[in-house]
């Protein structure tokens, strides 16, 4: 039997395979295998799902950016230039993007302009974003009309962000917020602007019982709600469990009161 060769694989099939190997291999390995793999790796379809390492690190002392510079004999390539180069490979076809830490305002604006097809977007924690980058997020949401899932690094500007989502993103269904503080204002905004949301992840948030009840009573289409390890309510609160009984996946393990919140909690429970 004649031996079959990978380089002879039909082009569209090869692109389909290479689109699954990950950014590191796509940049540093695949293009150097053979001419057909090099050509296939340049297809925008290979760059539809981009997951940047959080710190663009491969080891403690060698970064992905270092290796990229070495392989392509480029000197002093900035992180912004590197991110733009990778995102640009998609030619507007990128549908899933997870950004690294220290994203600049310039990079976020570039992504808003060059990635109109985004369905899922993950942003780094707020302490890895400048205040300028955080503040412009609400103004960029309108560029991503196909957005369905958003991962935020904090609840800063959350009310403004989800207000823009309801105006621009008709298919939006999933929100995750790290390091969140969910007060009545944020909870009410989620209910008002995202009443049909299906997945909400607020793990580790500071959120009192009243704010959680607002969400449970207002978001009737929730399928997945993660409020584990929160501070402000008790995980085995009977009222919470009753209100969440119709949610397919509800997780609240590890949530507890802060010591100074006990009196307020019991006051609200009695009113409720």
């Amino acid at each position: 039997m004649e031996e079959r060769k990978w380089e002879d694989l039909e082009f569209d099939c090869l692109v389909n395979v290479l689109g699954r190997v990950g950014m590191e291999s796509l940049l540093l390995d695949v293009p150097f295998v053979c001419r057909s793999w090099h050509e296939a790796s340049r297809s925008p379809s290979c760059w539809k799902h981009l997951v940047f390492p959080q710190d663009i690190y491969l080891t403690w002392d060698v970064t992905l950016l270092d290796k990229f510079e070495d392989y392509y004999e480029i000197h002093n390539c900035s992180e912004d230039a590197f991110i733009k180069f990778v995102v640009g490979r998609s030619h507007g076809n990128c549908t899933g993007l997870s950004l690294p830490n220290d994203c600049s305002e310039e990079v976020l604006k570039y992504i808003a302009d060059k990635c109109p097809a985004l369905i899922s977007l993950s942003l780094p924690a707020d302490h890895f974003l400048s205040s300028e980058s955080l503040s412009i997020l609400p103004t960029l949401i309108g560029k991503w009309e196909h957005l369905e899932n958003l991962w935020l690094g904090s609840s800063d500007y959350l009310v403004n962000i989800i207000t823009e989502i309801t105006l621009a993103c008709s298919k939006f269904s999933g929100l995750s917020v790290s390091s969140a503080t969910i007060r009545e204002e944020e909870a009410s905004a989620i209910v008002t602007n995202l009443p049909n949301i299906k997945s909400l992840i607020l793990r580790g948030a500071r959120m009192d019982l009243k704010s959680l009840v607002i969400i449970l009573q207002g978001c009737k289409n929730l399928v997945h709600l993660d409020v584990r390890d929160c501070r402000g309510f008790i995980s085995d609160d009977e009222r919470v469990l009753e209100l969440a009984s119709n949610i397919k996946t509800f997780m609240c393990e590890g949530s507890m009161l802060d010591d100074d919140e006990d009196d307020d909690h019991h006051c609200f429970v009695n009113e409720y």
Side-chain angles (χ1 to χ4, degrees):
M1 179 181 290
E2 183 180 355
E3 183 180 358
R4 301 181 67 180
K5 299 179 180 180
W6 273 94
E7 59 265 31
D8 295 331
L9 187 66
E10 197 262 338
F11 185 82
D12 289 341
C13 290
L14 184 56
V15 168
N16 187 288
V17 172
L18 297 182
R20 304 167 189 263
V21 301
M23 183 185 301
E24 179 189 338
S25 292
L26 207 53
L27 283 170
L28 306 180
D29 300 319
V30 170
F32 302 99
V33 172
C34 62
R35 180 174 296 179
S36 62
W37 283 39
H38 173 76
E39 290 300 320
S41 72
R42 296 180 64 84
S43 170
S45 295
C46 287
W47 305 85
K48 292 179 68 173
H49 305 285
L50 302 176
V51 179
F52 286 89
Q54 282 192 336
D55 296 306
I56 317 186
Y57 274 103
L58 296 179
T59 68
W60 287 107
D61 57 356
V62 180
T63 69
L64 177 57
L65 185 52
D66 289 335
K67 286 205 167 188
F68 176 76
E69 290 179 329
D70 184 50
Y71 273 57
Y72 292 92
E73 299 183 350
I74 299 172
H75 301 290
N76 300 321
C77 179
S78 69
E79 280 196 11
D80 282 7
F82 175 70
I83 296 171
K84 288 181 180 180
F85 169 80
V86 173
V87 171
R89 281 287 182 95
S90 73
H91 293 280
N93 289 284
C94 182
T95 57
L97 178 60
S98 180
L99 289 169
N101 296 332
D102 301 317
C103 280
S104 68
E105 178 182 358
E106 181 182 348
V107 163
L108 291 177
K109 289 180 177 178
Y110 179 86
I111 290 166
D113 291 334
K114 300 298 182 180
C115 299
L118 272 184
I119 295 175
S120 298
L121 174 63
S122 178
L123 296 169
D126 64 330
H127 54 277
F128 289 115
L129 283 174
S130 67
S131 58
E132 292 81 7
S133 298
L134 283 168
S135 65
I136 67 166
L137 278 176
T139 68
L140 302 180
I141 295 295
K143 300 285 187 76
W144 299 311
E145 60 180 299
H146 304 288
L147 194 66
E148 296 179 17
N149 298 287
L150 178 63
W151 287 263
L152 294 172
S154 80
S155 52
D156 291 347
Y157 304 100
L158 179 61
V159 173
N160 293 335
I161 289 171
I162 61 178
T163 298
E164 294 302 320
I165 286 173
T166 195
L167 295 174
C169 312
S170 60
K171 295 182 179 180
F172 192 83
S173 62
L175 175 66
S176 176
V177 188
S178 303
S179 304
T181 298
I182 305 297
R183 300 168 292 250
E184 289 183 48
E185 179 186 10
E186 286 80 11
S188 297
I190 290 172
V191 169
T192 301
N193 294 290
L194 306 174
N196 298 315
I197 192 170
K198 295 181 179 179
S199 175
L200 182 60
I201 301 174
L202 299 171
R203 185 172 184 176
R206 294 189 64 85
M207 174 169 57
D208 62 22
L209 178 60
K210 189 171 186 178
S211 298
L212 177 58
V213 167
I214 289 173
I215 292 172
L216 289 171
Q217 290 180 329
C219 297
K220 299 296 186 180
N221 294 312
L222 276 173
V223 176
H224 179 91
L225 176 59
D226 186 348
V227 288
R228 287 175 291 174
D229 305 318
C230 289
R231 291 293 179 270
F233 63 92
I234 303 171
S235 61
D236 59 355
D237 188 291
E238 291 183 2
R239 294 157 186 80
V240 169
L241 297 178
E242 180 182 353
L243 286 170
S245 61
N246 63 327
I247 300 175
K248 184 177 180 180
T249 304
F250 175 67
M251 297 178 286
C252 63
E253 298 82 3
S255 293
M256 61 183 69
L257 293 174
D258 283 338
D259 292 339
D260 58 353
E261 292 176 326
D262 191 62
D263 291 340
D264 291 338
H265 174 83
H266 288 296
C267 180
F268 175 71
V269 168
N270 292 332
E271 292 177 1
Y272 181 80

